[in-house]
Amino acid sequence: MESVITHEGLNLKETELRLGLPGSDKPEKETIYSLRNNKRAVPDSVEDRESVSDAKHETAPPPKAQVVGWPPIRSYRKNCFQPKKADSETGNYVKVSMDGAPYLRKVDLKVYKCYAELLEALENMFKLTIGSEFAPTYEDKDGDWMLVGDVPWDMFMSSCKRLRIMKGSEAKGLGHGV
Amino acid sequence: MSEAQAQMSEDDADLAAAAGGASIRTAVVTTGGDYSSPYPDQVLENVLENVLIFLTSRRDRNAVSLVCKSWYRAEALTRSEIYIGNCYSVSPRRAAERFRRVRSVVLKGKPRFADFSLMPPDWGAHFAPWVIEMAEAYRGLEKLYLKRMNVTDDDLAVMARSFGNFRELVLVCCEGFGTAGLAVVASKCRQLRVFDLIEAEVSDDDEVDWLSCFPESGTCLESLIFDCVEFPINFDALENLVARSRSLKKLRVNRFVNLEQLHRLMILAPQLTDLGTGSFSPQDHPIDQEPDLVSAFTACRSLVSLSGFRETVPDYLPAVYPVCANITSLNFSYANITADELKPVIRNCHKLQIFWVLDSVRDEGLQAVAATCKDLRELRVFPIDATEDNVGPVSDVGLQAISEGCKKLESILYFCQQMTNAAVISMSNNCPDLVVFRLCIIGRYRPDHSTGEPMDEGFGAIVKNCKKLTRLAVSGLLTDKAFSYIGQYGKLVRTLSFAFAGDSDLGLKYVLEGCSKLEKLEIRDCPFGDSALRSGLHHYHNMRFLWMSTCRVTRQGCREIAQQIPRVIVEVFRWNQILEEGEKSDLVDTLYLYRSLEGPRADAPKFVNIL
């Protein structure tokens, strides 16, 4: 069916996952993949389907990082327990954009203990001074844009989804909450 | 005439029976005066009606109604509970015209896969047209059981003001309503005995203190369940309510009730038979001495069902020891406890029949269950961590132990990361009474972890050996062989659930051609296409529904089905139009087909195409 796929010397067939009757090119053990959570990820599920439709033979689609509705557990049950992996090991990375900058950055909020530390890091990262010309804002769980510093640090940590450093006229008059 | 009759499909006969039992006392047979003109068979029909009152099973009633016109009429007049498994299979008007003296309605809407975000939120299943019709037709309505319906506050208001003798409201997996709706029901339904919210999504936008809205003087409440409510409640109002509800037998509070508060409630209601314990953790800054929970539990001599434990602090678990010997149902499925924390509790639960638990207790915990709970009928093991992984805390070891210890098992739902055919075969041999077997190996396409073989033989043994099996959910690496077993041996199977399984169209063909009693078939991410779909043409009108998502079914294939079978509605939907642009394939995201006496529904949203 497939020839051995090699890419830069890696034998990817070793880790390829496929369906097949036992005996005929026995299915490999699954690659270990850890899923973060089961937030509905529509683009992923569509990609899933496309790979199924394109395959001419009976191959299992490569396991995706997020699968909608799998395993079949109601969402409030899933949300009840923080998966141990996500919390302790992986950190809380959020994207940081700055008005006018072409690239985004990412910061791990877990590294900082308070607003002062975070703001200092941002100032270093973007070579700016937070004050009248730059105001740090963030998007919270509800999708609203908030000024950084208004809520207690712990609350900010758990509700911040991404950061945006506003610049210029929009920033003027906002100051910052810290 | 026979074509037009809706064959209500079989499911959950207990509910109908239970409701029917009550209807014997409340059903009233009026004779003579109801008929506009007497006719010769009137005497015979009167006799028939008097006999039919005692017929409670809806399957029996369906059979009776097919005998002849006269029996059809008599049956229609004496049926006091109607069960509608799919709200779109029949219109409210048609149901009300046939059954005119209904006291109890069971109405189900969305298919089960909607629980797992596989269905877009505004798909339908609105209660509104039903409540409007019933407000006119069934003024004497007493009981309403809704499952997976969209219910608004307005609907609840219409219900509350239209049915003067309303007694029981049970909302399971429903959404669309909030505290305002609950408040109207509480204040207007003065005869309310049962007010159960089970796994429902209740909104708190209005922030109405609904618990304060029950009648001041006293209530007839026998059951109050709101453990799924995800926001705080007014505890003083709850305490006051429990104090003035002397008939209260079932009380399940939500996780915003702490241990101290639970204690106060238990002191007020030692007559409880069913208790949902809320958070089962103490308040953050305890002011008073620790409450004497052991005494409170000891006083509840009639307690047979225990649940809650949403944020369990295990140190307090010993408080439940006094009731262990009596309880028949224990729900620990929110309690993150270890095997060692479980053992002292479970070793006293000799009468336990229903047990729900988290896999945090590990195989060792399940072994303890197997050692004590010889009367166990239903077991559900939920995963604390739903991510796919190589190993998990429960496995074939736990399943093997359960199969050896709990031989009367009838229903099992088991989530795990790995499994063996041997353990499943063992269960098929040890537990011949199995009616429901649902095994979910969270790692998709995972084979038997000790032999590397597909899980075909295990599931094959289940369908072969468990002669009473009516519901099956499969998982793990499965070839078409597994499906051939299901088709060959699953002659009584009514509900099937497939995900990430099978090799080709043959798999689905085996099932559709072999399982003659099949009513509900839910499939996702399997390589089944149009050819397989076609093989069920002879059977779809006997089914409640077929669901296929992310399979290989094309629009054209679905259209053919729609054209060839009348009275079956074929819905196809796509999730995300933007992503579909430029895509050449004709595949559908989701196919949902169901039999119906009506034409295409008028309330279908834009993303639904009815072919």
Side-chain angles (χ1 to χ4, degrees), chain B residues 385-428:
Chain B
D385 182 353
T387 60
E388 300 190 34
D389 204 346
N390 239 13
V391 276
V394 297
S395 67
D396 48 287
V397 173
L399 193 72
Q400 179 76 32
I402 293 290
S403 79
E404 287 167 8
C406 308
K407 307 248 166 123
K408 296 191 193 170
L409 204 63
E410 294 171 2
S411 170
I412 183 163
L413 170 62
Y414 196 89
F415 284 88
C416 59
Q417 297 285 355
Q418 54 184 34
M419 187 48 60
T420 62
N421 282 305
V424 178
I425 293 170
S426 175
M427 177 155 274
S428 78

Side-chain angles (χ1 to χ4, degrees), chain B residues 8 394 444 447 517 601:
Chain B
M8 312 296 192
V394 297
R444 295 164 292 152
K517 287 264 169 42
R601 59 189 176 108

Side-chain angles (χ1 to χ4, degrees), chain A residues 33 35 49 58 76 85, chain B residues 334 387-389 503 524 589:
Chain A
Y33 36 83
L35 306 179
R49 188 179 62 66
E58 253 62 69
Y76 76 80
K85 288 189 180 86
Chain B
Y334 292 97
T387 60
E388 300 190 34
D389 204 346
D503 296 327
R524 65 163 297 181
D589 275 345

